[in-house]
Amino acid sequence: MAGKEEQQAKPLAMSSPSVGADEEAATRWRSIRYLRKRRYALRCCGCCGAAVVVLGIAILILSLTVFKVKDPTLTMNSLTLDGFNFDVGPSDDLVQLNATLVADISIKNPNVASFRFDNSTTDFYYEGKTVGVAYAPAGKVSAHRTVSMNVTVDVLTNRVARQMNITADALTSGTQLNLTSFTDINGRVNVLGVYKRDIEVTMNCSMTLEVSATHQAIQSTDCSANVK
C-alpha cells in the first residue's frame, strides 16, 4: 500500500521548455516565410500588371500615330503630247487624228511600311466613250518614299474627229478636244503583319487637247484623287 501511495504522490512528467520554444520558433519562421512569399508574389503581380498596362498604352499610342495606316497620294505630275499625226479622208474630207499621250503619275507613301500595288490602268474618254487605255505594271512604294511611273497611251482621236465632224478646214483654224481620264490602283499596306489595310486609289482628270494643222498641245489638266 505504501508503494502505491508513493506512485500516486509522484508528480507527472512535464514537457521540456526547450521543445515548446523550438516549435514556436519554427511556427514563427514558417509564418515569416509565408508572408515574404506572399509579398513577393504580390509585387510580381503588381509589376506584371503595370507592365501590361504600360505596354497596352504604348501599343495604343503607336497604333494611333506611327503605325496608323495613312492614305497614299496619287498625283498627275504632267501630261504631254508625245506624238501626233493627222490625215484627211479621201471621200468625206473628215480628218483622221492619232495622238500619243504620256502621263507622269507619282504615288507617295506616307506609311512606315511599303505600299504594294497591283497592275493598274488609265482609261481616256471622250464624251463617255473610251478612246485609249494605258497599262502600268505592279510594284511597290517603300516607306516614306515617292515613286513615279510613266504610262503611254495611243489616243484614237480619229473616233473623236468623226464624232465631232472635224474637217480639214476646221483643223486649219484649230479646235479643242475635251478628254477625261480615270486611273485605278489597288494595293495593300502591311505594318509588321499586324496592321493591314487594302487601299484603292483612284484619280479622275479632265484635259483639253488643242489641235490645229500647225500646233498641238495639252492646254489644261485638272485632276482629283480619292482613296477608299
Side-chain angles (χ1 to χ4, degrees):
M1 295 291 293
K4 291 180 180 181
E5 291 178 356
E6 286 182 4
Q7 290 178 358
Q8 292 177 357
K10 186 180 291 185
L12 296 174
M14 302 198 51
S15 59
S16 173
S18 62
V19 174
D22 291 341
E23 292 181 354
E24 184 178 356
T27 301
R28 289 180 179 177
W29 175 246
R30 285 194 294 269
S31 299
I32 292 172
R33 290 184 61 187
Y34 172 76
L35 291 175
R36 288 179 177 176
K37 289 182 179 180
R38 185 176 179 181
R39 290 173 184 171
Y40 180 76
L42 290 175
R43 289 177 181 174
C44 289
C45 291
C47 292
C48 292
V52 170
V53 171
V54 172
L55 182 61
I57 293 174
I59 292 176
L60 178 61
I61 293 174
L62 290 174
S63 64
L64 295 176
T65 55
V66 179
F67 292 153
K68 182 180 180 180
V69 178
K70 304 178 182 66
D71 294 340
T73 303
L74 184 62
T75 305
M76 176 79 77
N77 299 315
S78 64
L79 185 64
T80 57
L81 191 61
D82 189 52
F84 182 86
N85 60 77
F86 66 92
D87 191 14
V88 179
S91 58
D92 50 14
D93 199 35
L94 292 180
V95 176
Q96 297 177 353
L97 304 175
N98 284 286
T100 300
L101 299 179
V102 178
D104 180 15
I105 300 174
S106 65
I107 305 175
K108 181 180 180 181
N109 179 23
N111 295 287
V112 296
S114 298
F115 171 59
R116 298 180 180 272
F117 56 91
D118 302 327
N119 297 332
S120 61
T121 59
T122 299
D123 299 276
F124 287 82
Y125 303 93
Y126 176 75
E127 293 188 352
K129 294 185 178 180
T130 303
V131 294
V133 181
Y135 300 93
K140 75 170 185 176
V141 186
S142 301
H144 302 294
R145 293 290 185 271
T146 301
V147 170
S148 297
M149 55 183 180
N150 290 329
V151 293
T152 302
V153 57
D154 291 324
V155 179
L156 303 178
T157 49
N158 58 328
R159 299 179 183 176
V160 179
R162 290 189 173 276
Q163 187 173 346
M164 293 181 64
N165 291 323
I166 300 178
T167 62
D169 293 336
L171 189 63
T172 302
S173 59
T175 186
Q176 290 182 340
L177 304 178
N178 295 317
L179 304 177
T180 60
S181 68
F182 176 74
T183 303
D184 187 13
I185 297 177
N186 291 279
R188 164 176 280 200
V189 175
N190 187 343
V191 182
L192 301 177
V194 178
Y195 305 99
K196 301 178 182 179
R197 181 183 167 191
D198 292 325
I199 297 175
E200 181 183 7
V201 186
T202 60
M203 182 171 59
N204 291 282
C205 295
S206 59
M207 64 208 72
T208 301
L209 180 61
E210 186 177 335
V211 178
S212 69
T214 58
H215 177 72
Q216 304 86 34
I218 297 175
Q219 191 176 25
S220 62
T221 304
D222 184 24
C223 298
S224 63
N226 185 36
V227 180
K228 300 178 183 179

